[in-house]
Amino acid sequence: MTGVWQLIYEWLPWFDGVVASIVIILIKALALVLPLMLVVAYFTYAERKVIGYMQLRIGPNRVGAKGWLQPIADALKLMTKEIIFPSKANIYLFLLAPVLAITPAIAVWAVVPFDEGMYVANLDISLLYVLAIGSVGVYGIILAGWASNSKYPLLGALRSASLLVSYEIVIGFALVTVVMIAGSVNLNDIVMAQKGGVLHWYWIPLFPMMIIFFISALVETNRAPFDVVEGESEIVGGTHVEYSGMTFAVFFLAEYANMIFMAVLAVILFFGGWHSPFEGIAYLEAGFSWVPGIIWLLAKSTFFMFLYLWIRATFPRFRYDQIMRLSWKVFLPWTIVWIFVVALMTQFKIGPWF
Amino acid sequence: MNFEQIIFYILSFWFIASSLAMIFSRNAAKAVLFLILAFFSAASIWLLLEAEFLAITLILVYVGAVMVLFLFVIKMLNIDKSTLRAKFAGYLPLGLLVAAVIVTEMAMVLGYNQFGLDVMAAPARHGADYSNITVLALQLYTDYIYSFELAAVLLLIAIIAAITLVHRKEVKRKGQSIAQQVKVQAKDRVRLVSITPKNKENKS
């Protein structure tokens, strides 16, 4: 690959190679976003199929062989549908809202290390970047609720604003423990620190934090059983009520891109990122050394993505005040206690993680 | 003009333009959005200065949390513009006086003779292995540990003070105790009774 980058630098020599750098970043971003959109499309197909089988149904099976073209058909339908603007809505903010939802959802992927040296940007503070950009995503929902000038979207937006702000604190504290063990806020370093087999991954010393992180990720992405933002049995469709066609599809894309990102982040932080699970086991390590790291990363995150669907098919929706209590009275004390536990473990060098 | 300068001027333009737009916009929600844009421009300028930790913290704390609460409050409030305008004329002389004092003060502190490359040399560029967050953490937790801890204690006191201000003795109200609701077991609500059917008794 370095040969190709060198060629681009030679073709575009303006501004000391800055133009070439921008072109390279654009190429990398395209190589990231296009597969991501494909994964999102087929994740929706997987969701319908998995939940269908769990409920003893078949799921989509009409379009293409076994329904494989269903997401394409859905995308075409959404693209050709008419976009309706509520007459009293604030048009600019109404159209800005989906943009503000999708931009952070894609921008966070810039720092994800897919393999050794395989990333768009090796940011020194990538974990903080993930938190910061993730917290910007809430504006899409808040603006959608406010600009629609309608009752149910506003209720949904209020719910989501308070939920996201309180669960960001929980996620932040849970990530502090990871940073304490790894000694870095760079995602690449965090993955490198987990080298050396399944027992060296952080899911053992941080087991409660992993569970808290995953449940908080469910809240952050507005997934069942915490999807009170949409809550179709209470407030019709929440913030999406007034959105139709492509404007709705953009929200949909953002939500699923966020879900996949949270699954990948859980793998990077607690399950060794792109490290093979067979590291340190004599024959298996050699036997599987040909598998590229990105395959391991995707395989592990597929499990978490499946967990999203499994949880959605299993649990009934939480009541709003119960979700709030879970955050402030259950998760927050647990994370603070675990920070002290991790501090003691680091001080006395317990286990192979330090 | 090199590329960095072009970026700096674009960001500065956005910073000033969005700040002005924030002051002059009539809609409170739009003003908050322009303020967010101003925060983003300021954060980007800090990134140009290699202060990435400050930049990210600005976005994380102010854009991610504080401004969300601002929007939250604005949505809840029903601001009546006509009463605000009526008071505007009455407050104008006092407001102009205060504004004049602030402008002179700022001109004295932030005047053109306080800045420029002859007063403050351009910060040296660091290498690719320079880590802003490591340097900052070392400074905070070694040289400035007492001021850092003091700030933390001050914030804790502020939290306690805020809670004691609004916390009152338990009023008689019909709230739900979620802890109790969650603790409920099936056996508290449902009583299973085993009844032997009469026909069976007759047969045996």
Side-chain angles (χ1 to χ4, degrees), chain A residues 18 22 90 93 124-125 128 131-132 135-136 138-139 142-143 146 154 157-158 161 165 185 319 321-322 325, chain B residues 3 27 29-30 33 36 40 52-53 56 59-60 63-64 67-68 71-72 75 131 133 176 178-179 181-182:
Chain A
V18 173
I22 292 174
N90 188 329
L93 294 184
D124 217 22
I125 43 166
L128 284 172
L131 275 177
S135 65
V136 173
V138 62
Y139 284 103
I142 294 185
L143 275 188
W146 189 79
L154 187 64
L158 286 178
V165 168
V185 276
R319 218 173 57 202
D321 54 340
Q322 287 173 341
R325 173 182 171 272
Chain B
F3 197 76
N27 188 329
K30 274 186 191 166
L33 289 176
I36 292 165
F40 262 103
E52 64 256 21
F53 180 73
I56 294 287
I59 291 178
L60 183 63
V63 178
M67 285 299 122
V68 174
L71 270 184
F72 204 83
K75 276 196 273 187
S131 168
I133 187 169
Q176 292 169 322
I178 305 169
Q181 290 176 343
V182 173

Side-chain angles (χ1 to χ4, degrees), chain A residues 3-245:
Chain A
V4 179
W5 303 146
Q6 209 58 51
L7 269 180
I8 293 172
Y9 274 115
E10 279 165 25
W11 286 338
L12 306 163
W14 304 295
F15 285 119
D16 302 331
V18 173
V19 179
S21 305
I22 292 174
V23 169
I24 289 170
I25 291 170
L26 280 179
I27 293 171
K28 282 180 177 175
L30 268 183
L32 187 78
V33 171
L34 292 181
L36 178 66
M37 289 298 123
L38 205 67
V39 172
V40 166
Y42 277 91
F43 189 33
T44 60
Y45 172 72
E47 175 169 32
R48 293 172 68 181
K49 273 286 188 193
V50 166
I51 293 180
Y53 284 130
M54 282 182 181
Q55 297 168 345
L56 301 182
R57 295 183 286 114
I58 297 170
N61 68 341
R62 292 290 103 180
V63 191
K66 304 227 168 199
W68 273 103
L69 294 178
Q70 183 70 41
I72 314 278
D74 284 343
L76 279 176
K77 183 200 83 174
L78 284 166
M79 270 187 247
T80 49
K81 261 178 109 170
E82 186 191 355
I83 299 173
I84 298 163
F85 297 105
S87 55
K88 290 278 178 68
N90 188 329
I91 293 291
Y92 299 109
L93 294 184
F94 188 78
L95 284 178
L96 187 67
V99 178
L100 280 182
I102 190 92
T103 315
I106 291 175
V108 280
W109 284 89
V111 293
V112 172
F114 290 100
D115 200 344
E116 198 163 4
M118 191 172 166
Y119 41 73
V120 176
N122 182 13
L123 215 59
D124 217 22
I125 43 166
S126 33
L127 194 58
L128 284 172
Y129 170 85
V130 164
L131 275 177
I133 299 296
S135 65
V136 173
V138 62
Y139 284 103
I141 295 170
I142 294 185
L143 275 188
W146 189 79
S148 303
N149 205 359
S150 168
K151 285 189 194 75
Y152 294 124
L154 187 64
L155 283 175
L158 286 178
R159 284 175 173 196
S160 105
S162 47
L163 274 191
L164 290 184
V165 168
S166 36
Y167 272 88
E168 249 156 39
I169 296 168
V170 174
I171 284 196
F173 270 113
L175 296 189
V176 164
T177 57
V178 176
V179 174
M180 282 170 80
I181 295 190
S184 171
V185 276
N186 188 333
L187 288 178
N188 281 296
D189 295 349
I190 290 174
V191 174
M192 286 308 279
Q194 300 180 52
K195 196 178 168 60
V198 181
L199 295 178
H200 289 254
W201 297 350
Y202 291 158
W203 65 281
I204 301 173
L206 299 177
F207 193 71
M209 292 303 104
M210 183 198 78
I211 292 169
I212 287 178
F213 175 81
F214 191 73
I215 295 175
S216 307
L218 284 178
V219 183
E220 289 273 303
T221 50
N222 298 326
R223 287 294 297 182
F226 304 107
D227 58 343
V228 288
V229 177
E230 291 152 30
E232 49 279 282
S233 58
E234 302 147 16
I235 50 172
V236 193
T239 44
H240 309 145
V241 171
E242 307 290 350
Y243 283 90
S244 58

Side-chain angles (χ1 to χ4, degrees), chain A residues 146, chain B residues 27-32 69-79:
Chain A
W146 189 79
Chain B
N27 188 329
K30 274 186 191 166
V32 171
L69 295 179
F70 265 47
L71 270 184
F72 204 83
V73 171
I74 284 168
K75 276 196 273 187
M76 304 286 238
L77 293 176
N78 203 357
I79 302 168

